[in-house]
Amino acid sequence: MTARKICLIGGSGFIGRHLAAQLVSRGYRVTVASRRLDLPEFRVLPSAELVRADIHDPERLASLVAGHDAAISMVGILHGSRAQFEKAHAELPQKIVAACARQGVRRLVHISALGAAQDAPSDYQQTKALGELAVERAGLDWSILRPSVVFGRDDAFLNMFAGLQKLLPALPLAGADCRMAPIWVDDVARAVCECLARRKTVGKRMDLAGPETYTLAELARLAGRASGHSRPVFGLPDSLAMLQAALMESLPGPTLMSRDNVRSLRWDNVSDQPFPSGLLGFAPAALSALAPDWLAGRDRNAAASRHRAKAAR
């Protein structure tokens, strides 16, 4: 089963940029729905097209997926109210499956999240589970991928920890003991591509967990060491973590931590299932083999840029 024209819904973010590049490299034509058209990462992809679209409008969504061989549903938000989570994670997948059914697009790959469950502690996890349920009930040729925390050179996860330790004398951490199995963004993208290429992935819900398990505190310390700004990292009790998150929610600018994030960290983000290598045809890369190099290069590249700018003056 080979789909040639793919519609990415939610594809202009971190994972979507990597996925679009892999799809194009495999010969697919890719339509990326986005609220913005000024995204330089996509201009260099010869068979990728950015289309401005209100994906929450059922009519616009139906016209967007029309003529495609497959759709990839990958919208996700980390912060917001319960209503905002439901709109992005539960209601939108329902609209996507309805649009696909209406336009005869049978193949759908849905990116959810490891830990999604209706009895989970956070709105994020609960609404992700509702989205999975909508996809499973759709009657389409679906595959669901559930990645653990996703890392990569341009992530907002390890880079955030590295940046905070550059600025702060110490790092107080909510959910410090939460266990995670980080998965490389290129492996998540490859998993989507393999789903499109492999019929045996239809009707499967697959956990994407990396081969190594860390606590959140260990990941923060790794980011600090690798970037050359190692600081003391210590865990906060839940009450203080919730207070810290409430304060961070009220600060201007992007939210780094919310109370719903803290609730998510009450559950380990690991899988009791092995990585589905038999279905996907590959094994995932280890964080320890990749992250130190690119985190260390982060400051070296910044220093080199400053040196070139100084020399040009």
Side-chain angles (χ1 to χ4, degrees):
M1 178 179 60
T2 302
R4 303 311 301 171
K5 190 175 181 183
I6 312 298
C7 182
L8 298 190
I9 303 168
S12 59
F14 168 53
I15 297 174
R17 294 192 298 270
H18 290 260
L19 174 55
Q22 285 204 27
L23 288 169
V24 167
S25 73
R26 292 180 181 224
Y28 294 101
R29 290 179 294 151
V30 181
T31 303
V32 182
S34 175
R35 290 169 296 183
R36 298 172 49 198
L37 299 182
D38 57 335
L39 299 174
E41 299 91 339
F42 294 94
R43 293 177 187 162
V44 298
L45 300 177
S47 58
E49 179 185 10
L50 272 175
V51 176
R52 192 190 305 276
D54 177 3
I55 56 177
H56 295 280
D57 178 354
E59 291 299 321
R60 184 68 183 95
L61 189 58
S63 65
L64 179 70
V65 302
H68 289 83
D69 299 292
I72 299 171
S73 163
M74 53 191 311
V75 172
I77 60 172
L78 291 175
H79 312 294
S81 65
R82 175 72 189 200
Q84 289 170 322
F85 279 122
E86 288 183 349
K87 180 180 180 181
H89 297 161
E91 295 170 14
L92 181 57
Q94 292 174 0
K95 294 175 182 178
I96 291 171
V97 298
C100 288
R102 176 178 168 182
Q103 299 291 3
V105 180
R106 293 288 311 166
R107 190 69 174 105
L108 174 65
V109 180
H110 179 66
I111 299 181
S112 181
L114 193 59
Q118 293 187 58
D119 61 345
S122 74
D123 289 335
Y124 172 85
Q125 294 161 319
Q126 291 171 20
T127 55
K128 278 289 190 179
L130 293 174
E132 290 183 7
L133 194 60
V135 171
E136 290 172 350
R137 291 175 172 175
L140 301 175
D141 294 335
W142 57 266
S143 301
I144 294 175
L145 299 173
R146 293 160 41 95
S148 184
V149 62
V150 181
F151 72 92
R153 182 178 297 274
D154 50 340
D155 69 38
F157 178 62
L158 291 179
N159 281 299
M160 176 187 70
F161 287 133
L164 288 173
Q165 289 175 82
K166 183 177 181 179
L167 297 173
L168 301 175
L171 186 61
L173 199 61
D177 295 328
C178 179
R179 296 166 58 241
M180 300 179 172
I183 184 81
W184 189 28
V185 64
D186 282 357
D187 284 339
V188 176
R190 181 176 178 183
V192 175
C193 294
E194 295 300 337
C195 283
L196 295 173
R198 295 168 180 258
R199 182 75 195 177
K200 61 184 178 180
T201 63
V202 171
K204 302 295 185 182
R205 196 162 62 117
M206 293 163 275
D207 290 354
L208 302 184
E212 300 170 333
T213 299
Y214 301 82
T215 66
L216 186 60
E218 288 170 340
L219 288 171
R221 293 185 184 109
L222 181 152
R225 288 194 306 270
S227 63
H229 301 290
S230 182
R231 302 287 187 265
V233 175
F234 58 91
L236 292 174
D238 193 67
S239 58
L240 286 180
M242 290 295 280
L243 176 60
Q244 179 195 57
L247 292 172
M248 295 178 80
E249 287 176 20
S250 67
L251 294 175
T255 301
L256 296 181
M257 176 67 71
S258 69
R259 284 168 289 182
D260 198 69
N261 297 152
V262 175
R263 288 189 284 268
S264 290
L265 293 171
R266 293 172 184 166
W267 273 20
D268 287 339
N269 201 238
V270 296
S271 177
D272 58 1
Q273 303 294 321
F275 187 87
S277 297
L279 288 171
L280 297 176
F282 72 97
L287 168 63
S288 61
L290 296 169
D293 288 341
W294 56 259
L295 279 173
R298 184 171 177 265
D299 275 352
R300 285 201 298 268
N301 293 338
S305 297
R306 288 194 298 269
H307 176 75
R308 286 193 296 268
K310 185 177 180 180
R313 287 198 294 267

